């Protein structure tokens, strides 16, 4: 039996390097399969999604991943039109949705929501973003992209820039990178540094430097991971306006980077990466989005099939 | 009996919580909800000399015997405390507090955005990830919690 069968995907911290490598190998295999064979992997299986926060990208990525392996999806992407508006608890909604499906994909604004849902659900729960806590499938997609584009993860120098306080993708990526021998440089405005209550967990896994100056390590980086300053997570707009547009990656900055460096972004972006970068060989964020579809398809395939694929 | 314990009246039946870190006595009273409303005799001594350069707090409560939840709270607030059970003026049991591997229900997660602070029917669970350093982590939101800022359920 494959070890991921029927297992929840709640936190990237639940995975060691060996398990991540198995997921990456499965993704490699899935990409190489011809589409008709791929569509046999989860034929007749149903994925339910439950999105309590607006999302197009992640939900469509899951949808498209499930379709590519022959499965169906159903769910609620606009929670304002659902029975939750009538006051139904998350617990009840999860219980019902797990009756209708083989796996449940949940995005919710509260931290810990996926772990709670997993206790309630009779089917595996996949965390598609829980508050500012984690976004494990994004981290798997990010690590896969680095591995694919740089041919390795160990030994790389990785800069992460932007909103490190509220960005859940950053936390999951850092926990995931903790499995590898990497140098990490965190770059953010002072007010958006990583949260002190998460530093303990991160420091257990890897060492990092912090800076407010994006140029400090720029000539040394192999990977620059750019994140959006998320307006929706700020308690008040004035604070947001103070840091909006703090870092913009443009051609001038790119010229200072290694020729072989890659630029990633979990998307959507606002103005933090100039469109001038899009056509360069260093821009890999659209490839990253494509790899997201395959890594999610591989995760779904492994979760739903006892013997893998 | 140590001389310091003679500072306050002996109790017939109850609990003496000794070796509470200096300054934590009132926090322990609050956490264990010892407020004297049931009419029991409570005596508290703060800043009692203990050893050459140190001080400690002591609490004596008549007719109260600590439950597991109380002991766990005490272990988080004052890890060096000892619990002395008194019956008929005699010390019948003396034990040190120690942190369990997990603490259920008694503390609220200090992260306001944690699912355990929502309207869902859910109880808090804290995993003790470092007993020596008294480091607790919310099992749901994974935040590492500041033991000095914990709120009680």
């Amino acid at each position: 039996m494959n070890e991921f069968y029927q297992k929840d995907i709640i936190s990237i911290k639940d995975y060691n390097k060996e398990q991540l490598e198995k997921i990456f190998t499965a993704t490699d295999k899935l990409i190489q399969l011809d589409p008709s064979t791929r569509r046999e992997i989860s034929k007749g299986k149903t994925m339910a999604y439950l999105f309590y926060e607006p999302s197009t990208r992640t939900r469509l990525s899951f949808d498209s991943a499930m379709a590519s392996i022959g499965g169906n999806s159903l769910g609620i992407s606009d929670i304002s039109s659902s029975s939750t508006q009538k006051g139904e608890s998350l617990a009840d909604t999860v219980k019902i949705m797990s009756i209708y499906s083989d796996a449940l994909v949940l995005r919710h604004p509260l931290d810990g929501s996926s772990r709670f849902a997993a206790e309630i659900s009779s089917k595996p729960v996949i965390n598609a973003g829980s508050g500012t806590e984690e976004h494990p499938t994004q981290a798997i997609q990010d690590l896969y992209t680095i591995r694919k584009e740089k041919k390795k993860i160990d030994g790389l120098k990785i800069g992460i820039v932007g909103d490190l306080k509220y960005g859940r993708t950053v936390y999951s990526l850092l926990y995931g990178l903790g499995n590898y021998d990497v140098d990490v440089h965190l770059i953010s405005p002072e007010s958006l540094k990583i949260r002190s209550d998460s530093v303990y967990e991160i420091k257990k896994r890897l060492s990092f430097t912090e800076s407010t100056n994006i140029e400090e390590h720029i000539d040394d980086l192999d990977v620059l991971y750019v994140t959006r300053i998320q307006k929706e997570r700020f308690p008040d707009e004035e604070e947001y306006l103070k840091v909006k547009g703090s870092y913009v990656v443009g051609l001038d900055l790119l010229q200072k980077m290694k020729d072989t460096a890659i630029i990633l972004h979990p998307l959507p972006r606002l103005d933090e990466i100039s469109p001038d970068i899009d056509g360069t060989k260093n821009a890999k964020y659209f490839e990253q989005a494509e790899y997201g579809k395959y890594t999610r398809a591989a995760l779904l395939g492994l979760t739903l099939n006892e013997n893998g694929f | 009996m140590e001389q310091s314990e003679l500072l306050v009246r002996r109790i017939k039946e109850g609990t003496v919580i000794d070796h509470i870190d200096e300054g934590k006595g009132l926090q322990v009273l609050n956490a264990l909800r010892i407020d004297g409303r049931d009419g029991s005799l409570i005596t508290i001594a703060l800043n009692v000399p203990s050893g050459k350069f140190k001080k400690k707090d002591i609490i004596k409560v008549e007719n109260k015997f600590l439950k597991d939840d109380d002991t766990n709270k005490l272990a988080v607030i004052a890890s060096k405390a000892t619990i002395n059970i008194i019956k008929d003026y005699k010390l019948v049991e003396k034990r040190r507090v120690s942190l369990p591997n997990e603490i259920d229900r008694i503390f609220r997660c200090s992260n306001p955005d944690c699912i355990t602070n929502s309207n869902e029917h859910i109880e808090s669970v804290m995993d003790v990830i470092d007993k020596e350093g008294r480091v607790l982590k919310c099992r749901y939101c994974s935040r590492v919690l500041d033991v000095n800022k914990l709120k009680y359920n």
Side-chain angles (χ1 to χ4, degrees):
Chain A
M1 189 172 84
N2 100 70
E3 63 179 300
F4 304 103
Y5 178 58
Q6 293 292 307
K7 292 277 165 62
D8 304 305
I9 303 171
I10 305 299
S11 165
I12 192 81
K13 286 182 276 191
D14 298 335
Y15 296 83
N16 60 31
K17 188 173 182 175
E18 193 189 328
Q19 290 168 319
L20 289 171
E21 284 301 319
K22 281 185 188 165
I23 294 167
F24 300 152
T25 307
T27 307
D28 288 338
K29 183 180 170 190
L30 187 130
I31 290 173
Q32 278 158 15
L33 291 175
D34 73 86
S36 59
T37 315
R38 211 185 283 158
R39 278 195 292 274
E40 293 299 314
I41 294 174
S42 289
K43 200 173 175 185
K45 302 273 169 63
T46 302
M47 174 195 86
Y49 52 83
L50 195 51
F51 276 63
Y52 284 78
E53 280 184 330
S55 160
T56 20
R57 219 159 301 266
T58 305
R59 190 182 65 72
L60 290 176
S61 176
F62 270 106
D63 248 354
S64 134
M66 192 59 178
S68 74
I69 53 173
N72 308 305
S73 352
L74 57 87
I76 304 165
S77 55
D78 178 11
I79 220 73
S80 61
S81 65
S82 80
S83 52
T84 306
Q85 273 305 94
K86 298 171 195 157
E88 188 179 50
S89 66
L90 173 65
D92 281 4
T93 311
V94 163
K95 208 170 276 179
I96 299 302
M97 293 296 278
S98 66
I99 295 169
Y100 301 150
S101 61
D102 300 294
L104 179 61
V105 177
L106 175 70
R107 169 169 289 192
H108 194 278
L110 291 179
D111 302 332
S113 45
S114 281
R115 200 165 290 284
F116 173 59
E119 289 177 355
I120 306 284
S121 173
S122 56
K123 306 287 166 50
V125 169
I126 301 175
N127 180 1
S130 50
T132 56
E133 179 203 2
E134 278 228 40
H135 194 348
T137 63
Q138 177 72 46
I140 289 169
Q141 163 185 356
D142 297 342
L143 293 170
Y144 182 80
T145 306
I146 296 171
R147 179 184 175 273
K148 190 91 176 159
E149 295 295 332
K150 299 298 297 180
K151 312 289 177 223
K152 62 174 185 177
I153 301 176
D154 283 316
L156 295 180
K157 292 185 169 58
I158 299 170
I160 304 178
V161 62
D163 174 1
L164 310 184
K165 183 178 183 183
Y166 299 112
R168 56 190 166 208
T169 62
V170 170
Y171 292 92
S172 287
L173 178 58
L174 285 170
Y175 300 139
L177 285 171
N179 289 297
Y180 299 88
D181 177 22
V182 287
D183 279 347
V184 173
H185 302 295
L186 303 178
I187 308 129
S188 69
E190 200 61 39
S191 62
L192 293 180
K193 284 168 74 171
I194 54 169
R195 294 187 298 264
S196 57
D197 52 13
S198 299
V199 167
Y200 180 93
E201 288 275 355
I202 297 165
K203 281 197 171 157
K204 262 197 328 196
R205 293 171 168 79
L206 53 78
S207 55
F208 57 86
T209 63
E210 289 182 281
S211 168
T212 55
N213 182 1
I214 194 170
E215 304 216 0
E216 207 164 288
H217 297 283
I218 199 76
D219 56 346
D220 210 20
L221 297 178
D222 300 297
V223 179
L224 179 64
Y225 189 93
V226 187
T227 66
R228 174 172 67 96
I229 311 272
Q230 304 177 93
K231 186 180 179 185
E232 66 274 22
R233 304 231 177 262
F234 276 77
D236 70 83
E237 187 156 353
E238 206 172 304
E239 286 300 308
Y240 167 71
L241 292 173
K242 274 187 206 163
V243 291
K244 178 179 173 263
S246 295
Y247 304 104
V248 177
V249 179
L251 289 174
D252 50 338
L253 192 77
L254 183 64
Q255 277 171 1
K256 295 174 185 161
M257 295 179 71
K258 279 186 190 171
D259 188 48
T260 54
I262 59 169
I263 298 171
L264 304 181
H265 193 304
L267 303 177
R269 70 171 152 175
L270 293 180
D271 52 5
E272 58 276 6
I273 299 181
S274 157
D276 298 341
I277 301 285
D278 296 359
T280 68
K281 64 177 180 182
N282 311 87
K284 295 293 177 193
Y285 28 91
F286 296 118
E287 285 85 345
Q288 185 184 359
E290 187 178 359
Y291 294 141
K293 171 184 160 180
Y294 295 123
T295 47
R296 289 188 176 98
L299 285 168
L300 284 163
L302 292 170
T303 306
L304 296 172
N305 293 285
E306 193 167 356
N307 298 314
F309 57 86
Chain B
M1 182 178 286
E2 283 182 36
Q3 195 182 6
S4 57
E5 290 192 32
L6 296 173
L7 284 171
V8 286
R9 201 177 124 172
R10 293 170 71 197
I11 52 174
K12 188 178 179 207
E13 307 271 332
T15 304
V16 177
I17 309 169
D18 198 0
H19 297 288
I20 301 169
D21 303 88
E22 174 191 359
K24 295 282 174 87
L26 295 175
Q27 202 182 333
V28 170
L29 276 185
N30 180 32
L32 304 190
R33 296 208 169 94
I34 299 171
D35 54 15
R37 281 186 201 173
D38 60 355
S40 299
L41 175 73
I42 301 162
T43 46
I44 173 161
L46 305 178
N47 301 325
V48 179
S50 172
K52 267 189 180 170
F53 306 105
K54 290 180 185 163
K55 288 177 180 172
K56 64 178 181 178
D57 294 351
I58 305 170
I59 295 168
K60 292 190 177 189
V61 202
E62 209 157 40
N63 301 322
K64 180 168 176 88
F65 300 96
L66 300 189
K67 299 186 180 101
D68 283 351
D69 280 0
D70 293 332
T71 310
N72 289 342
K73 282 183 188 169
L74 191 57
V76 172
I77 300 163
S79 57
K80 294 196 272 303
T82 53
I83 297 170
N84 303 280
I85 309 293
I86 310 292
K87 290 200 169 150
D88 198 20
Y89 295 108
K90 289 197 182 94
L91 175 67
V92 294
E93 189 190 338
K94 182 170 187 140
R95 57 189 155 94
R96 287 182 161 278
V97 295
S98 69
L99 277 171
N101 293 329
E102 67 171 64
I103 300 175
D104 302 344
R105 304 180 312 279
I106 57 177
F107 293 110
R108 280 174 58 188
C109 178
S110 44
N111 171 12
D113 294 325
C114 177
I115 188 86
T116 58
N117 287 319
S118 70
N119 294 329
E120 296 292 330
H121 184 66
I122 179 174
E123 286 174 336
S124 68
V125 184
M126 311 287 169
D127 288 309
V128 180
I129 54 172
D130 176 359
K131 287 192 182 184
E132 190 89 355
R134 290 190 298 149
V135 182
L136 306 187
K137 189 173 83 166
C138 172
R139 184 171 297 176
Y140 289 93
C141 75
S142 296
R143 296 282 178 92
V144 171
L145 308 168
D146 182 340
V147 292
N148 297 314
K149 289 185 187 161
L150 286 173
K151 290 191 176 119
Y152 317 109
N153 266 330

